Each structure stands twice: as structure tokens, then as C-alpha cells.
Amino acid sequence: MKKIIIIGGGAAGAKAAAKAKRLEPKDHIELYTRTNEIAYSLCGLPYFIEGSVDDINKLIVRTPEQFIENGIEVFLNHEAQEIYPDRNSILINGNQIFYDELILALGAHVQLPNIENISADNIFTLRSLKSGVDIKKITKESKRVLIIGAGYIAIELIEAFIKNGLEVVVVEKNDRVLSDFDDDFSFAIQDIILNKCENKIELVLDDYITRFNVDENNKFKSASTKEGKEIFADFCVLATGAKPNVELAKNAGITLGPTGAIKVDNKMRTNIPNIYACGDCAEKYCIITRQPTYIGLGTIANKEGRVAAINAVNDESFENFDGVLKSTITRFFDYTISKTGLSMQEAMIYQDKINLEPVYSTVTKNDKAGYMPNVQKLTIKLVADKRSGELLGAQALGSVDNIAQRINTVTSALQSRLTVEELLHLDLAYAPPFSSSIDPILTAAYKLKELINK
Amino acid sequence: MKKIIIIGGGAAGAKAAAKAKRLEPKDHIELYTRTNEIAYSLCGLPYFIEGSVDDINKLIVRTPEQFIENGIEVFLNHEAQEIYPDRNSILINGNQIFYDELILALGAHVQLPNIENISADNIFTLRSLKSGVDIKKITKESKRVLIIGAGYIAIELIEAFIKNGLEVVVVEKNDRVLSDFDDDFSFAIQDIILNKCENKIELVLDDYITRFNVDENNKFKSASTKEGKEIFADFCVLATGAKPNVELAKNAGITLGPTGAIKVDNKMRTNIPNIYACGDCAEKYCIITRQPTYIGLGTIANKEGRVAAINAVNDESFENFDGVLKSTITRFFDYTISKTGLSMQEAMIYQDKINLEPVYSTVTKNDKAGYMPNVQKLTIKLVADKRSGELLGAQALGSVDNIAQRINTVTSALQSRLTVEELLHLDLAYAPPFSSSIDPILTAAYKLKELINK
């Protein structure tokens, strides 16, 4: 019988606890979380603010009571303060607790710019149920919101706020939204944003906030930008990206990787025996570049939590987690934008380091047989390495229905390290309501193959 | 400069002609077709009959004029009568024509049961634009139709006829519809059919037609079944499956495979030099079982036509076509049913022959995060080999949106010969509107892995 302690109750921690208990019911599993929130869906918060999810409690995947029913001890509002690896113990709320295995699922926080008055009452981050409730409340009382950042969460929040009748100003330091995408996709989604939100949106790009201006009650009133703008709003949301929570680990001598997240091997082990890390606090390994990378995503946290638990329960396990593609997708009104693997721009960055010669093809094509009703367009861009012929990544933009699962056809191919040649022989299921007889993915692959053969 | 003769103007022949011309504009390409129809979408016919495609001409992918513009000579209403391999020539409409390379894209015909009066005027098959127009015309004048067979085309025709206000009787010799699927899926789709069509449909299973009864004008009036039923209807459609057109090839000494289709290698070569076969007349190779198999599908015809052309143009080409998964999908009202690779029942058939121990898992799960609006269920069944851990196939049933592209995530994995272990690590793109955070495919993979490890 082992005692397994898990720090953190997000997707990774919750999964690790459930999996460990299921694998070895006799093991003693304790789950500690800093707040009173546990096992909830972060990704659902924008839809709660939007209003399509009417009750914040629906975002709770598993309640403390459900954990307890499964034999997992849950400690809410318990802050892990220090790890003593030599003694196999950890200080939590002033008490030293011993462990056989320690799983760190510390999560991430919003990367805060170092700006005066950033702690004003009506400047929010979106990382908890409470923050969702607070933002929802102020949304109802407000006319205008400032969003800092223009990544996925920002895009989802724009829709949420616009649907609630607000005016939205977005300030983004890059020259475009969704800068993980190639700029042709960023610009396309920008056009969609401007088109969908009409005169209710202002995109301030290539600029950043230098000062938040507050009133005597520490209430945010406006923000000044590097380029000299002053932007007034009733409240502000910082959607400036996630940073791993690593202080606890770092102080205990646990090695961080080059991305600043906790370095782990493919069994989710840190450099210190019996200590695992998983989820948003842990560094990722990119299957394509074979380099360390970072992304905070619930789906990955889930997989890592599972693998950490399997290995914590059984040191001899063969369960590995071999890395990520950083696949992402989001809905914006009736559009969907998605990505898997590398963009062309990302591939260019890696070309010397890992000896790539990136090429791409972009195809805009009907999503159904051209003669069917309600035909819509979709755009797919594939990136590959001219030298090896291997696929490196894909980006797709289209309607809610026609892109949603299509990106994952490429994800599967990419994770299998298919070449473009192999990709274009995929025996994809086809019927006129679902695709053109040569699927847009295959058309893009044909185009790309011609470039590779040149 | 070569002279390449292509017999047949369906998906394979049309693609082969276009590809050959594109690869080598100096080559002389002649395309012969038996009727006046060329390069049209067979798959679109049910939607024309239904009425969602309003003009039969919309189903024409490329007109004879467009072929000619591209420098391809097109001969409509030309019947290929005999091939003389020793002389590299072929007899067409009584004229002997020489070739350097001959590509046979002979297509398939509907497998006709040997029943009296089957040639009655109002008994149809659906294999041409003309047949589509004829069926559409009689649909408008009729109240009741008899469909023989219950495969994909039959399912699509049921919807088309019901939407046109007809009563439909289906007679199927198997004990269930869509018998390529496992029976749990067949039964589920049967329930959907009965539910959607209410009292307008009668499914007569496990029975077959023994006689068509005609009036003095050779007009079909009713059909008698083995079980002693007499089914009256205004017309009848035979949807009894496709049989490859092989007579021309067989008479010339071209080898047929065990499925009765023309045997080809992975360059689409027949046993006779300079003669290729592709599309519905050619035998397929199943990537999973590594055995010959047969299916007539436009998507496969397209890929094979391309590969045949590349190899006909250039004998030294490295272009191979490595086989099929027999992936299929169809819409039935607001449902979608799809399949890739082997069903459990098919895997059982092969278990001794190729040393499999098939196991499966079935998951019914939300198609979105549970808290999102309009959550619907979908069902996925995965089949794998317990010995190797390799995935063998998948079947999926759900709504139009949530299944459509999802099956192809598995198709990609299957064609890459992933194990279930590898499948469950797929970094699938996720957002609450599109999936649960653990995609149903992954949930099914987790369940399956537990069975494999047992």
C-alpha cells in the first residue's frame, strides 16, 4: 500500500487521483487544492459568461463528495508550501505530510504584465469558477470591456461579450490576432471578427498597455498604451497567456526545462525520485520538432495526469506519454479555426535547428459536393518538410460543422508521422453531404506533393 | 509520345485521362465511353431524386467539351468489344485501334438477381444520369415503391422517396439493413428508419423476391417473396450491390482475382503488359487484412485512376496505391452512420486466416462538453486485435455534425496502422462546442486497451 499525494485539483490532478485509485484501490490517495474549487472545466468559462451555459456549477466535472465516494481524500483550501524531497514529505498548511509518491499538478496562472495598478478591482483574469462568476456579474452591469491579448481565450471572450451587448476593445502586442497561426489565417479571422462584431469592436494591434488608470477607489477607468492611446472601459480582462506554476517545485530543487515549466520525462517523472509533474505546470515535448515546448490545455493535462498516476502506482509500468502536437480549435460565432502541429512560421523558426525545409499548400474548397444545398467554403493549409516529405502541421478555417472534426483527421496523420505521399492515399469516408469527393485535405496534400517533388 | 487509351468515363477513367494529360501534355489521350454520359457523380443521384439537387446536369463533374479543351479526345457511345493484347490494339465500334498503354476503367453494374420479369419497364437500377432522371420522373407519378436491397444506396433512396411522399417497402435477404456493419449498428439504424418514416415504411428482412408479376404491357405490378408475401408497388428499384464489369478483360486473358474483379498490382497493372485497370472494375487490397477485397466507391476510383495514369505515362514511376479501408459514410435524415476498416463480424471471419483475436469496445457519449447547449449522443465502436494491439476498424453513429469528420480521425489512425495504445495518446483538438474533453474516440480506446491488457 502506497500513499500518493497529489497537489492541484485541475484536470491533471483530478485525473491522476481518479486513475490512481482505480488502478490500486488499496493505495491511499490524498488530493490537495489551494482554493475551494476542484475538477472544473476552465474551457467552459467563456460559454458561461456568454450565457449558453446557465449555471456555473455545470462546469464542475466532479465534486469533492464524488471524490470522497471513490475513496479519495480531498483537502480544499490547502496550500502546499514546501517540499522536502530528502524526507519524502511536503508542508501543507503548516503540517508536514509524508508521501510515497508525489504528483505535482500545480496548474498555471495568467502571465501578468508588469504594469502599474494591475491589481485594480475591476481587472480580471479568467482562471477559476469564481473569476467566471465575477466577470459574468460585471458584464451585466457594463457597456464596454477591454481585453488584453488576442489568443484563443480572448477570441472566445469577444464573442461572449458581444453577445451580451458590450462594446469590446482588444489590445494585442503582436500585429495580429491568434499569432500561433500563420498570418494569412490571423488576417482571415480578423476580417471575420470585424465583420461579425461590426461597430462594436476595436482591435488595437501592435501596441501594449503601459499604465492602468484608476480612480480613488482603486477602480480601473482607462488604460494608456505605448502608442499613446487612452482606452476607456468599465472593466478589463487579462487574457495574456498561461504561465506554469513552478515556484513550489523550483524551491525544492526540481529542474525546470528551457520553457520555464517543470522538466519531465515521458513517464511524467521529474528529476527527483518519487516526484511526478503533469498538466499545465509540466513542460511538453513536441512530437514534430522533438524539442521542449509549452502549452496549457485540459486535454493534455488529462492524458498526463493519467500517465503520471499509472507510473506513480507502479514504478515498473511501461506507460509513456510521448508528446504533443499542440492541437487547438475554437469556435467564433459560426466559424471554426483550428490547428495541429506547426504553422509555416513556426516551421521556419525550427528549420536550422532541426534541419527542415518547410513548404506549404493552401486550399479553399467546398465543404460538400458542389451540387448539394448549403455548400460552404473551408480553407486548409498543410505544412510539410520538403526533405523528408513528412507532414509538419495543418491549419483550418471554416464553418462550425465542416472543420470541427476535420482537423483531427490531420492530427491522427501527423501523430503517426505520415508523409504527404501517405496522406494523399488516405481512404477517407465520403458522401456528398460531407465532403467533395476529393476531400480538401487530400487536395491540399496533392498540391503539397507537387511542391515536394519539384 | 505515347498513345494512351482509356475505356470508361466514370470517376476512374475521367481522373486517369485528366491526370495523364496533365503529366505529359504531348501524349495522345483517347477516352471511350459506352453511353453518352461521362464524368458524373453517381453518389449524387439519391439527392437528385430527393430534390435537394434540382438539376441533373449539376452532377456532371466535367463535360465532354471540357475534356476536349484540355486536349483529351472523347468518344461517347463507343463500345469496346475486344482487346488484342498481342497486337496492342482494341476493337471499338468495329474499328481496331492501337494503343501504347490501355487503361480499363470499366466500372460496375448492379448485381441482378435471376428473377423472372426483371426487365419490366418500371424496374430500375441506379447507375446513370438517365436512370436518375427516369426514377425521379416515376417518383412524382407514384405512391408506393419497392426497393430491393438495404445497403447504403437503399438507405439514401428511402430518405429520398419518403421526402417525396411515397410509401416505401424494402426487401432485404439478410436479417438486417446495412449488413456490412455489426448488428448492433444495423439494429440502431433500423430503429431510426422506423422512427423517421413512421407508418410510411415496411422493412421485409430475411426474405427475397422470387418473382416479379407484370401486366400485359410488361409493367411491374407486384413482387412475390420466398416467404410468400406479395408486395404491390408502382415501381421497383434494385439496389442489390455492385458487380465489376470484367467481360472485356476476361475475354482478353486478363486475370481476375478471387473477388471476381480484375486483379491488379499496386501500380494498377493487370497481368498483361501495358494494360492497367482502375476503379469499380478493379479488385482492391485491404490494408488491414492484407487480402483481396471488393468495393465500388468514387473516392477509391479517383485515387486509382490517378495512380494508373501516372504509371501508364511513366513506366518507371514509383507511384503505388497501397490499398483501401473501405471507409463509408451516409446521412439518413439528421443521422450519420459511418465505418472504416473491419467490423467485429468481419474481423471474426478473418481471425483464423490472418491470425487475429478481435476485441471491441462501444462507447455512447456526449458529442460536446456536457454543459453546452444542444448536446447530442454519438456512439463509436472500435475493433482491435488483442494480440498485436493494432486497431482494425471503427463504426460510428450520431448526428450529421458530430460524426461526419470524426470517423476520418480513426481512418487516419487505421491507415497508419496505429495500436490502440498509440491511438489513446492522440493529441486531438478540443473545445467545448466540439467534443467532450476526452473525445469519444479516446474513451473507446481506453476501454479497448483494458480489454487488450486483460
Side-chain angles (χ1 to χ4, degrees):
Chain A
M1 199 214 78
K2 274 182 178 180
K3 182 168 171 188
I4 299 177
I5 289 193
I6 298 159
I7 309 296
K15 182 71 186 187
K19 184 70 188 176
K21 195 69 198 175
R22 197 163 162 225
L23 280 173
E24 195 46 86
K26 278 180 276 177
D27 279 356
H28 190 77
I29 315 289
E30 295 182 1
L31 178 60
Y32 292 86
T33 171
R34 193 162 47 170
T35 67
N36 64 351
E37 297 184 0
I38 190 169
Y40 65 94
S41 167
L42 253 182
C43 336
L45 289 170
Y47 306 98
F48 170 72
I49 294 168
E50 178 194 285
S52 60
V53 177
D54 56 3
D55 179 356
I56 193 77
N57 293 313
K58 287 189 180 171
L59 300 186
I60 297 171
V61 179
R62 209 176 290 144
T63 61
E65 291 70 29
Q66 288 170 314
F67 280 98
I68 292 162
E69 271 170 34
N70 292 331
I72 296 161
E73 288 182 43
V74 173
F75 300 87
L76 304 178
N77 301 305
H78 274 65
E79 175 105 34
Q81 297 154 280
E82 206 171 342
I83 305 169
Y84 311 110
D86 296 346
R87 282 179 260 161
N88 267 23
S89 75
I90 179 166
L91 191 70
I92 301 177
N93 274 19
N95 301 308
Q96 200 178 149
I97 297 163
F98 290 90
Y99 59 78
D100 294 303
E101 312 283 347
L102 177 64
I103 299 178
L104 301 177
L106 307 173
H109 59 277
V110 176
Q111 188 165 4
L112 292 186
N114 186 10
I115 302 172
E116 212 182 326
N117 296 322
I118 198 161
S119 58
D121 288 345
N122 48 345
I123 298 181
F124 298 90
T125 61
L126 186 65
R127 284 292 306 184
S128 63
L129 295 180
K130 183 179 177 307
S131 67
V133 172
D134 290 346
I135 294 175
K136 173 101 191 167
K137 184 163 176 285
I138 200 166
T139 297
K140 292 194 168 168
E141 300 158 356
S142 301
K143 290 194 170 149
R144 194 174 160 89
V145 57
L146 169 60
I147 301 174
I148 318 289
Y152 271 112
I153 307 255
I155 298 289
E156 289 165 2
L157 284 175
I158 291 171
E159 180 175 350
F161 292 134
I162 291 286
K163 284 189 174 165
N164 277 276
L166 271 67
E167 286 176 11
V168 180
V169 185
V170 174
V171 175
E172 163 61 43
K173 64 178 190 311
N174 288 302
D175 63 349
R176 56 200 173 88
V177 306
L178 290 178
S179 54
D180 286 347
F181 283 78
D182 283 332
D183 53 14
D184 46 352
F185 276 73
S186 288
F187 295 147
I189 196 84
Q190 253 164 241
D191 286 346
I192 290 168
I193 291 170
L194 294 174
N195 182 268
K196 282 282 164 189
C197 307
E198 292 179 350
N199 55 354
K200 306 280 271 179
I201 189 128
E202 189 183 344
L203 294 180
V204 180
L205 302 172
D206 217 355
D207 198 357
Y208 57 89
I209 307 297
T210 50
R211 200 176 65 242
F212 288 114
N213 308 303
V214 297
D215 68 10
E216 62 281 3
N217 300 319
N218 194 31
K219 215 182 137 206
F220 156 78
K221 286 289 173 196
S222 73
S224 305
T225 77
K226 171 69 170 38
E227 298 293 329
K229 277 190 177 256
E230 185 176 4
I231 298 163
F232 290 85
D234 299 313
F235 68 104
C236 173
V237 181
L238 299 162
T240 40
K243 254 194 116 140
N245 294 329
V246 298
E247 286 306 304
L248 181 72
K250 196 176 160 189
N251 293 339
I254 292 173
T255 306
L256 306 184
T259 66
I262 299 173
K263 192 176 162 71
V264 287
D265 67 7
N266 66 0
K267 297 199 184 301
M268 307 315 295
R269 294 182 293 210
T270 67
N271 62 310
I272 295 186
N274 309 114
I275 303 185
Y276 298 80
C278 54
D280 289 2
C281 68
E283 192 164 82
K284 319 297 169 201
Y285 176 81
C286 172
I287 295 172
I288 307 299
T289 63
R290 298 167 201 272
Q291 301 290 322
T293 188
Y294 183 73
I295 192 167
L297 285 178
T299 46
I300 295 173
N302 212 299
K303 293 187 180 82
E304 291 182 346
R306 176 179 166 275
V307 171
I310 293 172
N311 290 297
V313 167
N314 173 9
D315 304 340
E316 318 269 285
S317 136
F318 295 106
E319 196 76 19
N320 294 336
F321 182 69
D322 289 325
V324 303
L325 297 171
K326 299 172 84 164
S327 309
T328 49
I329 185 167
T330 199
R331 187 193 74 184
F332 184 74
F333 289 93
D334 41 358
Y335 288 87
T336 300
I337 184 160
S338 61
K339 179 175 179 252
T340 186
L342 305 184
S343 68
M344 187 64 185
Q345 285 156 341
E346 288 165 338
M348 299 288 278
I349 291 168
Y350 279 100
Q351 65 182 331
D352 293 328
K353 193 160 186 179
I354 58 171
N355 198 23
L356 293 178
E357 192 181 337
V359 288
Y360 72 92
S361 69
T362 307
V363 160
T364 296
K365 209 178 161 181
N366 291 335
D367 65 343
K368 304 176 185 68
Y371 48 78
M372 293 298 285
N374 308 318
V375 172
Q376 291 177 288
K377 294 288 178 192
L378 60 83
T379 299
I380 286 181
K381 181 173 187 173
L382 295 180
V383 181
D385 175 23
K386 194 172 184 333
R387 291 180 195 161
S388 65
E390 280 184 346
L391 194 62
L392 299 174
Q395 294 156 84
L397 174 64
S399 76
V400 168
D401 307 336
N402 65 24
I403 286 297
Q405 301 304 326
R406 201 172 239 114
I407 193 70
N408 286 331
T409 303
V410 187
T411 300
S412 260
L414 196 55
Q415 195 146 344
S416 310
R417 307 302 287 121
L418 290 197
T419 62
V420 172
E421 172 76 35
E422 291 166 325
L423 183 69
L424 57 82
H425 286 150
L426 281 187
D427 187 6
L428 300 178
Y430 155 76
F434 305 114
S435 173
S436 43
S437 74
I438 303 175
D439 192 274
I441 293 171
L442 302 185
T443 308
Y446 284 123
K447 275 185 71 174
L448 196 48
K449 203 202 160 197
E450 287 179 7
L451 283 175
I452 289 171
N453 288 352
K454 245 183 204 162
Chain B
M1 199 214 78
K2 277 180 175 180
K3 182 169 172 187
I4 300 177
I5 290 192
I6 297 160
I7 308 296
K15 180 73 185 186
K19 183 71 187 174
K21 195 68 196 176
R22 197 163 162 226
L23 280 173
E24 194 47 85
K26 277 179 279 179
D27 279 357
H28 190 78
I29 316 288
E30 296 182 1
L31 178 60
Y32 292 87
T33 170
R34 195 163 45 172
T35 68
N36 64 351
E37 297 183 4
I38 190 171
Y40 65 94
S41 167
L42 252 183
C43 335
L45 289 170
Y47 307 98
F48 170 72
I49 294 167
E50 178 194 284
S52 60
V53 177
D54 56 1
D55 179 356
I56 192 77
N57 293 313
K58 287 190 179 171
L59 300 186
I60 297 171
V61 179
R62 207 178 289 144
T63 62
E65 291 70 28
Q66 288 169 315
F67 280 98
I68 292 161
E69 270 170 35
N70 292 331
I72 296 160
E73 289 184 43
V74 173
F75 301 87
L76 304 177
N77 301 307
H78 274 65
E79 176 106 33
Q81 298 153 281
E82 204 170 344
I83 305 169
Y84 311 110
D86 296 344
R87 284 178 258 161
N88 268 23
S89 76
I90 179 165
L91 191 69
I92 300 177
N93 275 20
N95 300 308
Q96 201 178 146
I97 297 164
F98 290 88
Y99 60 79
D100 294 302
E101 312 285 347
L102 176 63
I103 299 179
L104 301 177
L106 307 172
H109 58 278
V110 176
Q111 189 164 3
L112 292 184
N114 187 10
I115 303 172
E116 211 181 327
N117 296 323
I118 198 162
S119 58
D121 288 345
N122 49 345
I123 297 180
F124 298 90
T125 60
L126 186 65
R127 285 290 308 184
S128 63
L129 294 180
K130 182 178 179 305
S131 66
V133 172
D134 291 344
I135 294 174
K136 172 101 190 163
K137 182 162 178 286
I138 200 166
T139 296
K140 293 195 167 167
E141 300 158 356
S142 301
K143 290 196 170 148
R144 193 174 160 88
V145 56
L146 169 61
I147 302 175
I148 316 290
Y152 271 113
I153 307 252
I155 298 289
E156 289 164 4
L157 284 176
I158 291 172
E159 179 175 351
F161 292 134
I162 290 286
K163 283 188 174 165
N164 277 276
L166 271 66
E167 287 177 10
V168 180
V169 185
V170 174
V171 176
E172 163 62 44
K173 64 178 188 313
N174 287 303
D175 62 350
R176 56 200 173 89
V177 305
L178 291 178
S179 54
D180 286 347
F181 283 78
D182 283 333
D183 53 15
D184 45 352
F185 276 72
S186 287
F187 295 147
I189 196 83
Q190 254 167 241
D191 286 346
I192 291 168
I193 292 170
L194 294 174
N195 181 269
K196 283 281 165 190
C197 307
E198 292 177 349
N199 56 355
K200 306 278 270 181
I201 187 125
E202 188 183 347
L203 294 180
V204 180
L205 303 172
D206 217 358
D207 198 359
Y208 57 88
I209 307 297
T210 51
R211 199 178 64 241
F212 288 113
N213 309 304
V214 298
D215 68 11
E216 62 280 4
N217 300 317
N218 195 33
K219 217 182 136 208
F220 155 80
K221 286 290 173 196
S222 72
S224 306
T225 76
K226 172 70 170 37
E227 298 294 331
K229 276 188 176 256
E230 185 174 5
I231 299 163
F232 289 86
D234 300 314
F235 68 105
C236 173
V237 181
L238 299 163
T240 40
K243 253 194 118 143
N245 294 329
V246 298
E247 286 306 304
L248 181 71
K250 194 175 161 189
N251 294 339
I254 292 173
T255 305
L256 306 185
T259 65
I262 299 174
K263 192 176 164 70
V264 287
D265 67 8
N266 65 0
K267 297 197 184 301
M268 308 314 295
R269 293 182 294 210
T270 67
N271 63 311
I272 294 186
N274 309 114
I275 303 184
Y276 298 79
C278 54
D280 290 2
C281 68
E283 191 164 82
K284 319 298 169 199
Y285 175 81
C286 172
I287 294 172
I288 307 298
T289 62
R290 299 167 201 271
Q291 302 289 323
T293 187
Y294 182 71
I295 192 167
L297 284 179
T299 47
I300 295 173
N302 213 299
K303 293 187 179 83
E304 291 181 346
R306 176 180 167 274
V307 172
I310 293 172
N311 290 297
V313 166
N314 174 9
D315 304 339
E316 318 268 286
S317 136
F318 295 105
E319 197 74 21
N320 294 336
F321 182 70
D322 289 325
V324 303
L325 296 171
K326 301 171 82 164
S327 309
T328 49
I329 185 167
T330 199
R331 187 193 74 184
F332 184 73
F333 289 91
D334 42 358
Y335 288 87
T336 299
I337 184 160
S338 60
K339 177 173 180 257
T340 185
L342 305 185
S343 68
M344 187 65 186
Q345 285 155 342
E346 288 166 338
M348 300 286 279
I349 292 167
Y350 279 99
Q351 65 182 333
D352 293 328
K353 194 160 187 180
I354 59 171
N355 198 23
L356 292 179
E357 190 181 337
V359 286
Y360 72 92
S361 69
T362 307
V363 160
T364 295
K365 208 178 161 180
N366 292 335
D367 64 344
K368 302 177 186 65
Y371 49 78
M372 294 297 286
N374 307 319
V375 172
Q376 292 177 287
K377 294 288 178 194
L378 60 83
T379 300
I380 287 182
K381 181 173 187 171
L382 295 180
V383 180
D385 175 22
K386 193 171 184 335
R387 291 181 194 160
S388 66
E390 280 183 346
L391 194 63
L392 299 174
Q395 294 157 83
L397 174 64
S399 76
V400 167
D401 306 336
N402 66 23
I403 285 298
Q405 302 304 325
R406 201 171 239 116
I407 193 71
N408 287 331
T409 303
V410 188
T411 299
S412 258
L414 196 56
Q415 196 146 345
S416 309
R417 305 303 287 118
L418 289 197
T419 62
V420 172
E421 172 76 34
E422 290 165 324
L423 183 69
L424 57 83
H425 287 149
L426 282 187
D427 188 7
L428 300 177
Y430 155 75
F434 305 115
S435 173
S436 43
S437 75
I438 303 175
D439 193 275
I441 293 170
L442 302 185
T443 308
Y446 285 123
K447 275 184 72 172
L448 197 47
K449 205 204 158 195
E450 287 179 6
L451 283 174
I452 289 171
N453 289 352
K454 248 184 202 161

